Amino acid sequence: MKGRIHAVWHCGPNKSIEHFSLTEIEQGWRLRGVAMIPIADEPAEIRYVVDTDDLWHTTSASVDFGERTIEVTVNEGTWTVNGVVDHDLQGCIDIDLGWTPSTNTLPTRRVDPKVGDLVETRVAWLRFPEMTLDRKSVV
């Protein structure tokens, strides 16, 4: 795949709308998105960029949510969050941004499951709206 894929989706339960793009970059892939999600009936904007290697493993992520920014880098399995190594995230392969289905692309592309197959992966899950990272196994 060359170029860029775009998607726009709406989540009824979250009352959100999001624009997402997937772009091939020199050493892998880039997911970029902007979501509008109401919090306490006030509009909130979240912007994110997730980079992967060519095997679809997360290498970095940046999330801007109002006055909060979360910067994640992954180097040889070591997860660093805002400049501090997070030992609880060791062994995670993907980042999972809790408000968007876009990061489901990572294990799907890496594993290429058949329809109906279940895929389990260890993720660094960015909770929303708390904006905290937790280790989680997802299927």
Side-chain angles (χ1 to χ4, degrees):
M1 171 179 66
K2 294 285 184 190
R4 181 177 294 174
I5 295 173
H6 291 274
V8 175
W9 50 70
H10 172 266
C11 176
N14 286 344
K15 300 178 185 171
S16 66
I17 190 164
E18 179 175 349
H19 173 255
F20 159 77
S21 66
L22 174 64
T23 307
E24 189 172 7
I25 58 176
E26 186 174 326
Q27 297 176 351
W29 303 91
R30 175 166 289 152
L31 290 70
R32 182 185 302 267
V34 59
M36 297 298 296
I37 302 174
I39 298 177
D41 294 324
E42 294 292 323
E45 179 180 282
I46 303 173
R47 293 183 175 273
Y48 65 88
V49 176
V50 176
D51 286 345
T52 74
D53 62 18
D54 58 351
L55 298 175
W56 295 93
H57 296 104
T58 300
T59 58
S60 67
S62 176
V63 178
D64 292 313
F65 175 55
E67 296 180 8
R68 294 195 58 194
T69 299
I70 296 173
E71 299 285 341
V72 175
T73 58
V74 185
N75 187 4
E76 297 183 12
T78 299
W79 288 70
T80 303
V81 180
N82 292 334
V84 177
V85 172
D86 189 330
H87 297 287
D88 291 337
L89 300 179
Q90 304 316 306
C92 292
I93 299 169
D94 303 312
I95 191 161
D96 185 351
L97 305 180
W99 63 90
T100 178
S102 69
T103 47
N104 297 340
T105 302
L106 306 178
T108 302
R109 291 290 182 139
R110 185 176 54 256
V111 177
D112 193 23
K114 305 295 182 247
V115 173
D117 285 353
L118 297 177
V119 175
E120 184 173 354
T121 186
R122 292 176 311 276
V123 301
W125 179 41
L126 186 58
R127 291 177 180 267
F128 177 80
E130 299 87 352
M131 302 303 273
T132 57
L133 277 165
D134 295 310
R135 180 187 174 107
K136 181 177 178 183
S137 286
V138 294
V139 176

